[in-house]
Amino acid sequence: MKPLSSITADMADDVLFEFLHMEIVAHVYKEHATREDIDKERVTCVSTLELMGFRVGQGLIERFTKDCPTFKDDLDVMKFLCKDFWSTIFRKQIDNLRTNHQGTYVLQDNKFALLTQLSSGKQYLEEAPKYLAFSCGLIRGALSNLGLESVVTAEVSLMPSCKFQVVIQKL
Amino acid sequence: MAVCIAVIAKENYPLYIRSVPTQGELKFHYTVHTSLDVVEEKISGVGKALADQRELYLGLLYPTEDYKVYGYVTNSKVKFVIVVDSSNTSLRDNEIRSMFRKLHNSFTDVMCNPFYNPGDPIQSKAFDSIVSTMMVQAF
């Protein structure tokens, strides 16, 4: 399988993954709706999606870093995540990376690919977290395979812009 | 042709060890185990030296009278160790590099297999066959 970065215009459309992702979210929620009560249902659905993203992130990182030299430090890893990793998956880079240099990073994407189809304002804001769980897992899986344990959360205030907060766990 | 090939996880336990069965396998397990020390030294040492060229291929770890040990580490801190016979001097650096390349490609495929959980012993038949092509043919 060729690395994604070398595949050009003749590759399958990005929209295929977007549709698949929407269906995955819908499916996971439908599955759980038939079983337990409302509160537990929300928590387990988000965890299921996040774990899926985690495993995918681990595999993707293995493939993408095959030819890269080793990373110097945490900031280098985050920069790689924001530029190469994000642009290979979502066809654009992270717009803004902020850090407090003590293990907390905020990645801001002003036009997040998986949210653009939902709305471009405040409509459907409460549904947005469902669609961000997989991507949070993706980031966490990628970092975990590179040796950094972290906690990743996402917040949305105005679609389709969103922020991922990454807190690196120092042992 | 390699005499022993091992894949070691980030936490330093083996995911896959295969050696030519003619000699005692325990000896190879021991060799791979001790080579991990050298690998660790190389990984941490590079940071203090030139930070420019941080290659994945570690080169010859240490030679003994019977065989030579080569190492390679991926960005996810998974280590590959290849042991070759010392008498086989025709094996050049480039060939070892290409062996590691093939191992890494095969390992990446194993990693992307949804039925494989990272951290489990590798049981993929495809990986087995790639390793077989690189091992000394036992008659």
Side-chain angles (χ1 to χ4, degrees), chain B residues 92-127:
Chain B
R92 291 190 335 267
D93 200 49
N94 273 336
E95 291 176 21
I96 306 273
R97 274 179 202 263
S98 73
M99 279 165 81
F100 276 124
R101 221 20 331 146
K102 279 198 288 195
L103 264 181
H104 197 168
N105 284 338
S106 197
F107 178 73
T108 308
D109 287 337
V110 166
M111 200 50 176
C112 291
N113 186 342
F115 295 114
Y116 171 73
N117 287 319
D120 288 351
I122 296 179
Q123 283 161 345
S124 152
K125 294 212 170 78
F127 192 77

Side-chain angles (χ1 to χ4, degrees), chain B residues 4-120:
Chain B
C4 168
I5 293 185
V7 178
I8 293 137
K10 184 160 44 158
E11 292 88 2
N12 290 333
Y13 61 85
L15 292 174
Y16 185 88
I17 296 192
R18 182 116 152 250
S19 47
V20 168
T22 48
Q23 307 179 23
E25 291 198 36
L26 210 55
K27 190 176 75 169
F28 289 124
H29 286 221
Y30 176 69
T31 314
V32 169
H33 186 84
T34 49
S35 67
L36 284 179
D37 274 331
V38 188
V39 173
E40 287 290 329
E41 197 189 300
K42 290 222 175 197
I43 302 180
S44 52
V46 172
K48 294 170 207 150
L50 287 173
D52 299 345
Q53 189 52 339
R54 302 184 112 233
E55 265 198 58
L56 304 179
Y57 174 66
L58 299 172
L60 183 66
L61 296 179
Y62 66 88
T64 66
E65 52 188 39
D66 286 334
Y67 38 73
K68 300 192 248 219
V69 183
Y70 293 89
Y72 180 98
V73 66
T74 68
N75 268 314
S76 48
K77 300 290 171 274
V78 167
K79 299 139 188 132
F80 299 127
V81 176
I82 293 185
V83 182
V84 293
D85 222 306
S86 255
S87 53
N88 202 344
T89 47
S90 60
L91 218 52
R92 291 190 335 267
D93 200 49
N94 273 336
E95 291 176 21
I96 306 273
R97 274 179 202 263
S98 73
M99 279 165 81
F100 276 124
R101 221 20 331 146
K102 279 198 288 195
L103 264 181
H104 197 168
N105 284 338
S106 197
F107 178 73
T108 308
D109 287 337
V110 166
M111 200 50 176
C112 291
N113 186 342
F115 295 114
Y116 171 73
N117 287 319
D120 288 351

Side-chain angles (χ1 to χ4, degrees), chain A residues 36-130:
Chain A
E36 296 140 43
D37 64 302
I38 297 294
D39 258 346
K40 262 181 88 174
E41 162 205 319
R42 271 199 65 219
V43 168
T44 44
C45 287
V46 169
S47 326
T48 314
L49 290 165
E50 216 254 351
L51 282 172
M52 259 192 237
F54 184 79
R55 182 70 186 90
V56 172
Q58 285 183 314
L60 283 177
I61 273 290
E62 193 67 49
R63 218 172 260 289
F64 293 166
T65 58
K66 218 166 30 163
D67 303 307
C68 299
T70 347
F71 297 111
K72 294 195 219 32
D73 59 9
D74 293 358
L75 192 56
D76 222 23
V77 173
M78 294 309 293
K79 284 196 218 167
F80 170 80
L81 211 68
C82 294
K83 295 190 200 160
D84 302 312
F85 192 69
W86 218 252
S87 47
T88 322
I89 301 181
F90 298 115
R91 297 253 181 275
K92 67 183 283 289
Q93 295 184 0
I94 287 274
D95 297 307
N96 197 346
L97 170 69
R98 288 204 299 277
T99 173
N100 68 355
H101 291 289
Q102 270 154 18
T104 307
Y105 300 86
V106 178
L107 287 68
Q108 185 171 348
D109 190 333
N110 290 327
K111 200 160 173 273
F112 189 51
L114 298 174
L115 287 180
T116 44
Q117 304 305 316
L118 294 187
S119 83
S120 52
K122 299 245 180 213
Q123 199 184 16
Y124 297 124
L125 202 59
E126 59 291 342
E127 310 281 349
K130 295 185 201 175

